[in-house]
Amino acid sequence: MQTDKITVTSLGIGTEEALDVTSKFAAYAGLDKKQALRIRLLTEETLGMVSAIAGDFGAEFWLENTDDCVCRLHLEARTLMDSDKRKDLVNVATDKKNAAYKGFMGKVRELIENSRYSIDDMGKLGSQYGGDYVMYSNMGMIDMETASLGSALYTWSLERYKDSIEEKSDKSEALEEAWDELEKSIVASIADDVRVSVYGDKVELIIEKRSF
């Protein structure tokens, strides 16, 4: 089952409709009260992140479930813009640095925002760091396996992020902060995976719940 796609914006447009669709989705999928609450919390966190994104941001939101009972929340937006628009977004994002990217979903927001005005710079990260993965901001790994200069695909995954943290043997302040953010995050606690992917002029967030 896949719900209708709802347009949601940083100005709050579509918020109530998206929450209503989430409730109907939970009922149709046969989720009990606790399961439905978890899906609603994931939607609320996603919409809260959208409202914090710099500039006039709009995206399509929908939910789906599979035959093997996997539930996914999708948020998809186009990133293509002219150079003047990109400069405007850079300025807006700079102005909003006072509301820094705090917490897990704040950093997910950073990935989505940066895909809108610095995707070309992201494409340079592969050659800068080398290997199959690159370090991006404070969020861990972006998968570079399928990246190319002509058609770049970048995917950051919560699962890989957790793995990269677990593999580190040091007890640095930054590592402790990363774990603290994950432990305090509603999304990181409920979701089985969170992926942010950039492909061409599209950025997509998928929050996946595989089991309850």
Side-chain angles (χ1 to χ4, degrees):
M1 172 205 174
Q2 178 179 309
T3 68
D4 292 336
K5 294 184 178 182
I6 309 300
T7 299
V8 296
T9 75
S10 54
L11 300 178
I13 295 173
T15 297
E16 291 303 320
E17 189 176 0
L19 290 172
D20 184 56
V21 163
T22 300
S23 297
K24 292 178 180 178
F25 169 84
Y28 184 89
L31 303 183
D32 62 28
K33 187 174 181 179
K34 184 177 180 179
Q35 294 168 342
L37 176 60
R38 288 178 174 175
I39 293 299
R40 183 180 176 88
L41 285 172
L42 291 176
T43 296
E44 289 177 347
E45 290 290 308
T46 300
L47 297 175
M49 181 204 64
V50 168
S51 68
I53 290 179
D56 185 13
F57 178 80
E60 298 296 315
F61 170 86
W62 72 96
L63 303 98
E64 67 174 351
N65 66 337
T66 64
D67 293 337
D68 52 351
C69 299
V70 175
C71 294
R72 296 189 183 98
L73 286 75
H74 293 259
L75 189 74
E76 181 180 294
R78 295 292 174 179
T79 64
L80 187 63
M81 61 190 67
D82 59 35
S83 59
D84 289 337
K85 179 65 174 177
R86 183 166 296 185
K87 289 177 183 177
D88 289 342
L89 275 174
V90 171
N91 292 334
V92 170
T94 301
D95 291 340
K96 291 191 71 173
K97 287 300 181 182
N98 290 332
Y101 302 106
K102 296 179 180 179
F104 172 73
M105 287 303 283
K107 292 190 173 71
V108 170
R109 170 168 64 92
E110 181 182 19
L111 286 176
I112 292 175
E113 282 191 339
N114 282 6
S115 73
R116 302 171 69 203
Y117 53 77
S118 58
I119 190 170
D120 294 335
D121 293 333
M122 291 171 69
K124 298 174 184 177
L125 291 175
S127 58
Q128 180 177 347
Y129 292 96
D132 291 335
Y133 302 97
V134 298
M135 295 299 298
Y136 179 66
S137 184
N138 298 316
M139 288 300 292
M141 303 294 186
I142 283 184
D143 189 348
M144 294 294 290
E145 290 179 354
T146 52
S148 68
L149 293 178
S151 179
L153 172 60
Y154 310 89
T155 300
W156 177 87
S157 165
L158 172 61
E159 282 189 318
R160 288 191 178 121
Y161 180 48
K162 285 181 177 179
D163 289 343
S164 70
I165 294 176
E166 290 175 349
E167 290 171 1
K168 296 181 184 300
S169 58
D170 65 301
K171 299 296 182 180
S172 66
E173 182 177 340
L175 189 62
E176 292 180 1
E177 181 181 350
W179 273 122
D180 187 57
E181 286 179 344
L182 290 176
E183 289 173 354
K184 291 179 178 179
S185 168
I186 292 174
V187 173
S189 298
I190 295 177
D192 290 301
D193 198 11
V194 177
R195 297 188 295 276
V196 179
S197 300
V198 180
Y199 181 75
D201 66 344
K202 181 177 73 175
V203 57
E204 183 174 26
L205 166 69
I206 297 177
I207 300 177
E208 189 169 273
K209 182 65 179 170
R210 299 174 192 143
S211 58
F212 291 93

